[in-house]
Amino acid sequence: MSVSDQGATVWLTGLPSAGKTTIAYALAERLRAEGHRVEVLDGDEIREFLSAGLGFTREDRHTNVQRIGFVAELLASNGVKALVPVIAPFADSREAVRGRHAAAATDYLEVHVATPVEVCSERDVKGLYAKQAAGEISGLTGVDDPYEAPESPDLRIESHTQTVQESASALHALLTERGLA
């Protein structure tokens, strides 16, 4: 198996508006240019299509993360780099996904896009922080719903201190170091 044929799941966890999806797409572009097969499993798209009908209770969030983890492992075990920019706020849910990958001997990397909530609130890409502040929504991860940051991720990216390209390059360097890029 050549390096470009080796799949892996790269899970980018972090608060809403942390930069997970932007970094994932920047990395995907670079990996594709190098000849890798890549899919980005965007959390919003997954919720619309694969997890339609699920809410934001702890149980529903866990189910959503497990569904995404299943698809990611399926892709990765078939030679695709599955980039997964999904909040996955609970450590036990992420650990269950890691366990699924370990059981299948599929590479799994956890990346914490560690952007402070104040910065995420300023970015507010989807207007969620404004809606929460106005009382229009509740259960916003990291504000009035828990977010359990990874204690020892494979990589921690502080997107508020570097450019998107610098963040994607740091992640590419990790993949290279692990023999996956």
Side-chain angles (χ1 to χ4, degrees):
M1 180 181 288
S2 73
V3 172
S4 65
D5 290 338
Q6 180 155 351
T9 294
V10 179
W11 198 291
L12 295 93
T13 179
L15 296 174
S17 297
K20 300 175 300 296
T21 303
T22 304
I23 294 166
Y25 278 108
L27 178 62
E29 184 179 327
R30 180 170 177 180
L31 290 171
R32 284 189 186 110
E34 294 172 353
H36 297 273
R37 295 185 321 156
V38 180
E39 289 295 333
V40 177
L41 300 179
D42 182 282
D44 293 331
E45 291 175 2
I46 296 289
R47 271 211 174 261
E48 183 178 348
F49 298 106
L50 187 63
S51 294
L54 289 180
F56 292 91
T57 64
R58 184 178 179 106
E59 295 77 21
D60 282 355
R61 288 176 190 256
H62 180 76
T63 298
N64 184 50
V65 167
Q66 296 318 297
R67 288 178 183 177
I68 297 167
F70 172 80
V71 172
E73 197 285 320
L74 187 65
L75 288 167
S77 68
N78 284 284
V80 176
K81 304 288 188 301
L83 308 182
V84 186
V86 173
I87 295 168
F90 299 109
D92 61 343
S93 295
R94 295 190 305 267
E95 206 46 48
V97 171
R98 181 185 296 278
R100 169 184 293 282
H101 282 71
T106 305
D107 285 299
Y108 175 87
L109 301 173
E110 183 177 72
V111 178
H112 181 205
V113 182
T115 309
V117 69
E118 300 78 20
V119 174
C120 294
S121 175
E122 289 169 20
R123 290 178 181 170
D124 204 8
V125 178
K126 299 171 198 157
L128 297 174
Y129 292 91
K131 287 180 181 174
Q132 191 276 337
E136 296 171 26
I137 63 169
S138 63
L140 182 59
T141 302
V143 178
D144 59 354
D145 213 46
Y147 175 73
E148 299 169 356
E151 291 182 16
S152 54
D154 295 283
L155 179 65
R156 191 174 317 278
I157 294 175
E158 297 190 5
S159 71
H160 58 293
T161 65
Q162 58 191 35
T163 67
V164 171
Q165 289 308 319
E166 288 169 338
S167 295
S169 289
L171 189 41
H172 188 276
L174 175 65
L175 289 171
T176 302
E177 172 187 310
R178 302 282 173 95
L180 299 168

